[in-house]
Amino acid sequence: MSFMSPAVRFQNVSRRFGSVRAVDNVSLDIEPGEFFALLGPSGSGKTTCLRLIAGFEQPDEGHIEIFGETADGVPPYRRNVNTVFQDYALFPHMTVGENVAYGLMIKGVGKAEREAKAKSALAMVKLAGYESRRTAQLSGGQRQRVALARALVNGPKVLLLDEPLGALDLKLREQMQEELKSLQTSLGITFVFVTHDQGEALSMANRVAIFNEGKIVQVGTPSDVYERPTSRFVADFVGSSNVLPPEFAAAHGGHAAWTSLRPEKIQIASQNALVPAACAHAKGIVTAISYQGAVTRITVATEKLALIASTPAGTDVRKGDSVSLIWPKSAMVAMGEGA
Amino acid sequence: MTTAVAERQRGIGGAISDLFFARPQLVTFLLLTPPLLWIGVVYIGSLFALLLQSFYSLDDFSGLVVHEFTLSTYAQLFEASNAQIILRTVTMAALVTVASAIIAFPIAYYAARYARGWTKALFYLAVMMPLWSSYLVKVYAWKLILAKEGIITWFANELHLRWLLDGILALPVVGGPSLSFSYLGTFLVFVYIWLPYMILPTQAALERVPANFIEASADLGADPRQTFRTVIFPLALPGIVAGSIFTFSLTLGDYIIPQIVGNSRLMIGQAVYTLQGTAGNIPLAAAFTVVPMLIMAVYLWMAKRMGAFDVL
Amino acid sequence: MSSKANRTTPLGLRISAIAGLLFLHLPLALIFLYAFTTEEKSFEFPPPGLTTKWFGVAWTSRPDIWPPLYLSLQVAAIATVLALIFGTLAAAALSRARFFGRETISLLFVLPIALPGIITGIALRSAFDIMSIPFSVWTIILGHATFCIVVVYNNAVARFRRLNGNLVEASMDLGANSFQTFRHVILPQIGTALLAGGMLAFALSFDEVIVTTFTAGQQTTLPIWMLSELIRPRQRPVTNVVAVFVFIVTLLPILAAYYLTREGEHTGGSSK
């Protein structure tokens, strides 16, 4: 085991189901200790990638290494990797304590020792004293914690989480985001999680890989992929974005390329407002106002195209107003490809 | 620090498990081979042996089976006495099926749409118990009921309806010296024994009719009769057809019921039984069994086209 | 049907449903009644008197009952064990993989119940004939196991289908190999279904007469004994006593199987 080897390495990995390329020539390094997100719409190949790391699927082409050791042909039960399943997959015929101690029991750890370890794992996920409960008696959030404890008690080198917060309601989801993050920081284990929720990926992960149609379209830190999307797909999928055609961007002080402009970078001003030197502007008429709680999204039809601006709630703009849109030229991010 | 990939598991279990993981088809093959040998070789093999016998013939003088390919045994099926046996059995099977469907429908409909909670469980059990409980005991019960000195005669006397019972027994074809020696008796026992096979699939089909279909039909101005005819019945039909597969097939092949409750005229099952037993005419017995097989093959083919298999 | 009628049951429907259920159940009550009648030559109704002596007679002075009973129990026990093994293997194989011919094979596994019993019976008999296999306990068992496999298969395949595939993956993920996963996760999940299937198979075998008459030769199982008593009766109430016994021996496993598969719906399902 080399000190330099990544926690997980995909080398030109492909996985086909029939004629569908679920994962198409993916290469990726996940570094030790990272909190890494696989983000993409459903059917984009992110879950298959997770299952390839776990060993439930084997690549048709390419290789996967885990901490420098090849995982080719290694069954899931011989990988030091554990998974938190989307539906938690708790064994319904076992108590909470038996669920958590399952991996240790399989390894042949003595009863007293595994009970003690299960107990402290449950305490770690704030479920101390739940050992003898039946899984059916637990709430969704509690089940998730049990699934987490059941995986972590084995001391995995990599923890895989499949849509870990998908089944929880909003409030619980925010709370669990915080807990997962602090758990990952304190344990120092590599976490790889799959999500289709870009907000979740951006707020939790150190780095994000964005999937589309079996391929990785961009890898970077949350601010990288948000601020500097390299394709229209990423610009659209991560947050929402105004995509400016090359001629429009060039006419407003950007490069002659497809360009992303985030709605929150655009300010709405009166038609005759002064435009600072570092800014671009366009005039137009408000065609729609959509109130969304903390922000209000305002659609403005300019001469060439409709732009969306988002402003803090409580704007006094009305539908039909003539307005000027002002944004820093630096907020326009040229993207590599046109599609 | 542990490594990321554990070493190969020691012990034979781990080694075999690794092999299984690498070759999942091997596992399927190993699992499937023993039962497939049993059903595929023992059972299907026997069916073919039977089919083969039907192409042999019986030498009338020696009473021995001639092991030469011939269709003469099949030709015997069309002789008047044998053709009558077939016609009689098919008619009985059809009548039993219709009667079962009529009696089963209200039970299935009630259980599917009105019974809730414990009544639903009760209905289910009330149908499952007679379905699974001893066939012979059930037949025996009807022997008691239909006997000349039995409960039906007693009731007829008590209600001063003896004239009605005697009138029914005096009817040609269906009547007889007593109910337990008449077609009517055979028919009643068949309906009784196979009824649960009709109720369960009908209920399963009705369970799948969403309640709002019926409300929608009423909302669109259909009276209950129209709703039944245009919505409920067509949707329940695949279930009734699925149930009829059982009632029809089981009646075709049964030889115990007509032997215990019925007159001396044979049904297919009895003919097969006596031919292979005392007569030793296995070729003709085999040819007779091909009749229900063929009828059922056609029946299953039609039922499949009507979507009856989805509710089985 | 108005929405009000949806809440309250139409009277006609209720009456015909209840009448149908009574039709299914009342005849069985007569079996019990006639076990206590004092009349032994006919099925006179109402019974001229009631007595419990026939239970004693069946127990002490009818030695012809016992050998068939032992034979039936032996056949049912062995056929059930064989059916459990083969039926479970078939269900496991057909539910775990999709392969060419899978639909045909699963049709094959219900054929012994779909075809009339007489066909199964005479087919086995002619196969025994051709291969010159003499009748024995094992020829009876072979016939019974053939349709008992179907019963176990049907029960097991339904449960395998409900078994959450993630549980197997979770077990392997936590370090368990195929055998450990089978022992600790799959078996506890399908166990009640197998038990239920085994009980139904036992009840079916214990009671079977149609196939048995073809595969038994000169041997007498309890149902064959009953059949001959039905055709040539002597001491009719004793037959009723045996019928009551057979009814209870088949009913108890059926009720247990029902209870087990109902419970299974709670424990066998995945987390909601």
Side-chain angles (χ1 to χ4, degrees):
Chain A
M1 185 176 105
S2 149
F3 202 72
M4 298 297 290
S5 53
V8 178
R9 165 168 280 174
F10 277 57
Q11 282 180 313
N12 307 100
V13 171
S14 292
R15 176 76 176 109
R16 285 182 295 270
F17 297 111
S19 61
V20 181
R21 281 178 170 268
V23 174
D24 189 0
N25 197 22
V26 163
S27 295
L28 173 69
D29 281 357
I30 299 172
E31 299 305 327
E34 268 193 307
F35 199 143
F36 197 91
L38 308 176
L39 173 66
S42 57
S44 61
K46 56 191 193 306
T47 301
T48 307
C49 276
L50 198 79
R51 294 171 56 79
L52 283 161
I53 304 173
F56 304 137
E57 306 282 349
Q58 299 286 332
D60 293 314
E61 285 158 30
H63 301 283
I64 295 174
E65 287 176 11
I66 300 171
F67 281 93
E69 294 177 62
T70 179
D72 296 342
V74 177
Y77 51 85
R78 290 204 287 108
R79 298 185 181 204
N80 211 334
V81 165
N82 289 111
T83 307
V84 175
F85 289 81
Q86 183 174 12
D87 67 355
Y88 316 133
L90 300 182
F91 303 125
H93 57 291
M94 298 181 193
T95 63
V96 168
E98 286 164 347
N99 261 284
V100 175
Y102 184 82
L104 301 173
M105 177 197 73
I106 293 294
K107 279 194 198 113
V109 175
K111 195 172 162 69
E113 186 186 346
R114 65 176 193 251
E115 275 176 2
K117 281 191 168 167
K119 202 173 164 155
S120 64
L122 279 169
M124 183 174 67
V125 296
K126 301 183 181 150
L127 283 180
Y130 278 66
E131 287 82 355
S132 54
R133 299 269 185 112
R134 310 292 312 183
T135 57
Q137 299 171 314
L138 302 181
S139 70
Q142 289 170 332
R143 283 174 195 204
Q144 154 129 76
R145 287 160 193 267
V146 175
L148 199 58
R150 185 177 70 173
L152 287 172
V153 77
N154 303 292
K157 311 268 300 185
V158 180
L159 184 75
L160 307 175
L161 305 106
D162 187 5
E163 300 272 3
L165 310 175
L168 305 181
D169 58 42
L170 184 65
K171 195 112 188 152
L172 207 52
R173 195 151 58 201
E174 283 169 354
Q175 186 191 342
M176 278 310 287
Q177 282 183 11
E178 288 308 311
E179 286 188 27
L180 277 177
K181 251 166 91 169
S182 65
L183 205 58
Q184 194 267 340
T185 315
S186 64
L187 293 170
I189 296 173
T190 313
F191 277 32
V192 180
F193 80 107
V194 158
T195 180
H196 65 267
D197 181 333
Q198 43 100 8
E200 202 171 285
L202 296 188
S203 68
M204 288 164 76
N206 303 125
R207 277 203 308 152
V208 182
I210 296 161
F211 281 75
N212 187 30
E213 295 177 346
K215 291 180 161 61
I216 293 182
V217 289
Q218 190 171 355
V219 184
T221 63
S223 70
D224 274 345
V225 296
Y226 188 80
E227 305 282 349
R228 283 177 293 284
T230 55
S231 61
R232 285 183 69 176
F233 176 80
V234 175
D236 267 347
F237 190 76
V238 181
S240 61
S241 194
N242 294 295
V243 176
L244 315 179
E247 52 276 23
F248 186 98
H252 290 81
H255 297 282
W258 287 92
T259 294
S260 154
L261 176 60
R262 295 286 178 194
E264 67 272 18
K265 305 282 186 186
I266 303 177
Q267 275 194 328
I268 296 195
S270 59
Q271 282 259 344
N272 48 12
L274 280 175
V275 181
C279 289
H281 81 291
K283 288 185 164 56
I285 292 166
V286 175
T287 57
I289 297 171
S290 152
Y291 177 73
Q292 297 189 326
V295 295
T296 301
R297 288 161 68 87
I298 298 163
T299 311
V300 176
T302 70
E303 207 176 318
K304 292 268 167 28
L305 79 164
L307 292 176
I308 293 169
S310 89
T311 66
T315 176
D316 50 3
V317 178
R318 282 163 207 278
K319 202 169 158 183
D321 284 358
S322 293
V323 294
S324 180
L325 300 176
I326 302 172
W327 65 90
K329 286 173 183 165
S330 61
M332 289 188 288
V333 179
M335 298 179 295
E337 40 184 306
Chain B
M1 202 172 193
T2 54
T3 56
V5 172
E7 63 189 274
R8 284 193 178 276
Q9 291 190 342
R10 270 178 277 274
I12 194 139
I16 295 175
S17 188
D18 285 1
L19 178 68
F20 282 175
F21 186 81
R23 305 213 169 285
Q25 308 91 325
L26 178 70
V27 186
T28 308
F29 176 80
L30 288 176
L31 289 171
L32 197 55
T33 304
L36 201 59
L37 279 179
W38 187 299
I39 299 291
V41 176
V42 175
Y43 183 68
I44 302 297
S46 302
L47 285 181
F48 272 104
L50 178 66
L51 205 60
L52 193 67
Q53 299 262 13
S54 70
F55 290 104
Y56 295 153
S57 61
L58 191 77
D59 188 306
D60 287 338
F61 298 107
S62 64
L64 292 174
V65 175
V66 182
H67 291 255
E68 271 169 36
F69 182 84
T70 171
L71 288 174
S72 67
T73 309
Y74 278 101
Q76 286 179 41
L77 287 183
F78 294 98
E79 287 169 11
S81 59
N82 291 338
Q84 263 181 6
I85 292 176
I86 294 170
L87 188 68
R88 188 182 296 143
T89 313
V90 172
T91 311
M92 177 65 85
L95 291 174
V96 167
T97 299
V98 171
S100 311
I102 292 170
I103 300 176
F105 196 87
I107 303 176
Y109 192 71
Y110 190 97
R113 299 201 41 81
Y114 294 101
R116 290 285 169 269
W118 69 270
T119 34
K120 186 140 197 148
L122 190 76
F123 257 85
Y124 182 73
L125 263 182
V127 176
M128 284 304 278
M129 263 168 48
L131 173 72
W132 281 96
S133 64
S134 173
Y135 164 85
L136 264 187
V137 171
K138 286 182 289 189
V139 179
Y140 184 38
W142 279 86
K143 181 99 182 157
L144 305 178
I145 293 170
L146 299 174
K148 206 177 186 76
E149 68 280 11
I151 189 167
I152 289 200
T153 312
W154 178 78
F155 257 110
N157 287 334
E158 292 290 303
L159 300 173
H160 304 288
L161 289 173
R162 186 60 192 256
W163 54 272
L164 183 63
L165 182 63
D166 289 339
I168 291 171
L169 286 174
L171 288 175
V173 185
V174 298
S178 82
L179 279 172
S180 60
F181 293 97
S182 68
Y183 277 140
L184 191 62
T186 320
F187 168 81
L188 278 173
V189 181
F190 272 133
V191 171
Y192 173 77
I193 305 271
W194 309 140
L195 184 60
Y197 291 91
M198 182 62 92
I199 298 175
L200 289 175
T202 307
Q203 184 184 343
L206 284 169
E207 300 264 7
R208 293 190 189 178
V209 181
N212 55 17
F213 270 34
I214 290 156
E215 277 158 20
S217 171
D219 190 55
L220 295 167
D223 65 36
R225 204 176 291 260
Q226 286 169 318
T227 302
F228 178 81
R229 211 179 53 234
T230 58
V231 179
I232 300 171
F233 186 71
L235 289 168
L237 197 59
I240 297 173
V241 173
S244 74
I245 295 171
F246 292 106
T247 56
F248 203 83
S249 156
L250 291 167
T251 311
L252 281 184
D254 196 280
Y255 68 93
I256 304 252
I257 292 171
Q259 189 184 357
I260 293 177
V261 177
N263 56 30
S264 53
R265 274 169 294 217
L266 299 181
M267 308 255 296
I268 291 179
Q270 290 165 287
V272 171
Y273 184 69
T274 37
L275 282 172
Q276 63 84 37
T278 47
N281 191 347
I282 295 212
L284 187 56
F288 255 117
T289 59
V290 173
V291 175
M293 279 200 258
L294 274 182
I295 293 175
M296 285 322 294
V298 173
Y299 204 107
L300 288 173
W301 177 73
M302 292 196 313
K304 196 177 166 97
R305 291 190 49 170
M306 295 183 69
F309 287 122
D310 302 337
V311 286
L312 278 181
Chain C
M1 187 173 301
S2 72
S3 58
K4 190 182 163 213
N6 239 343
R7 306 247 175 277
T8 60
T9 318
L11 190 65
L13 178 67
R14 182 188 287 249
I15 288 171
S16 38
I18 290 172
L21 286 188
L22 287 179
F23 173 64
L24 277 177
H25 287 268
L26 281 185
L28 292 171
L30 280 184
I31 292 284
F32 283 79
L33 177 66
Y34 276 101
F36 296 96
T37 183
T38 49
E39 168 62 53
E40 65 170 283
K41 294 273 184 284
S42 77
F43 298 123
E44 188 185 339
F45 189 91
L50 296 176
T51 170
T52 53
K53 76 169 182 178
W54 302 114
F55 288 85
V57 171
W59 183 258
T60 55
S61 40
R62 286 294 294 268
D64 56 319
I65 297 173
W66 300 102
L69 173 62
Y70 293 140
L71 182 63
S72 279
L73 287 173
Q74 186 190 358
V75 167
I78 299 175
T80 301
V81 170
L82 288 174
L84 276 173
I85 296 169
F86 288 92
T88 310
L89 286 177
L94 290 174
S95 59
R96 77 186 293 277
R98 317 215 145 262
F99 51 86
F100 180 75
R102 183 171 174 272
E103 297 300 313
T104 314
I105 292 176
S106 49
L107 183 70
L108 212 60
F109 278 111
V110 294
L111 209 55
I113 281 209
L115 284 179
I118 192 168
I119 294 180
T120 307
I122 191 173
L124 287 173
R125 179 177 200 144
S126 49
F128 295 151
D129 260 6
I130 290 173
M131 299 170 72
S132 310
I133 299 172
F135 293 117
S136 70
V137 181
W138 292 100
T139 54
I140 305 179
I141 290 169
L142 191 91
H144 284 205
T146 303
F147 54 77
C148 287
I149 287 175
V150 183
V151 176
V152 174
Y153 167 80
N154 275 341
N155 260 274
V157 94
R159 183 64 65 85
F160 269 118
R161 229 177 264 152
R162 277 218 313 267
L163 180 67
N164 182 352
N166 279 350
L167 295 182
V168 173
E169 287 189 346
S171 170
M172 293 199 139
D173 187 76
L174 294 166
N177 66 32
S178 316
F179 297 102
Q180 292 165 321
T181 299
F182 180 79
R183 152 119 172 59
H184 294 295
V185 175
I186 299 176
L187 198 58
Q189 293 290 308
I190 64 166
T192 51
L194 292 188
L195 200 57
M199 288 187 167
L200 291 177
F202 186 91
L204 199 64
S205 165
F206 187 73
D207 170 45
E208 213 291 331
V209 65
I210 292 191
V211 176
T212 317
T213 44
F214 290 95
T215 56
Q218 298 302 311
Q219 306 164 88
T220 306
T221 62
L222 198 60
I224 289 183
W225 177 88
M226 251 181 84
L227 184 61
S228 64
E229 291 294 311
L230 290 193
I231 295 167
R232 278 175 297 279
R234 55 177 186 138
Q235 288 185 317
R236 294 175 192 225
V238 171
T239 315
N240 281 78
V241 169
V242 176
V244 166
F245 173 76
V246 169
F247 179 76
I248 291 170
V249 167
T250 50
L251 188 67
L252 290 180
I254 292 156
L255 287 176
Y258 170 75
Y259 179 76
L260 285 170
T261 42
R262 250 173 68 85
E263 283 294 292
E265 267 152 39
H266 302 302
T267 56
S270 65
S271 46
K272 290 208 187 78

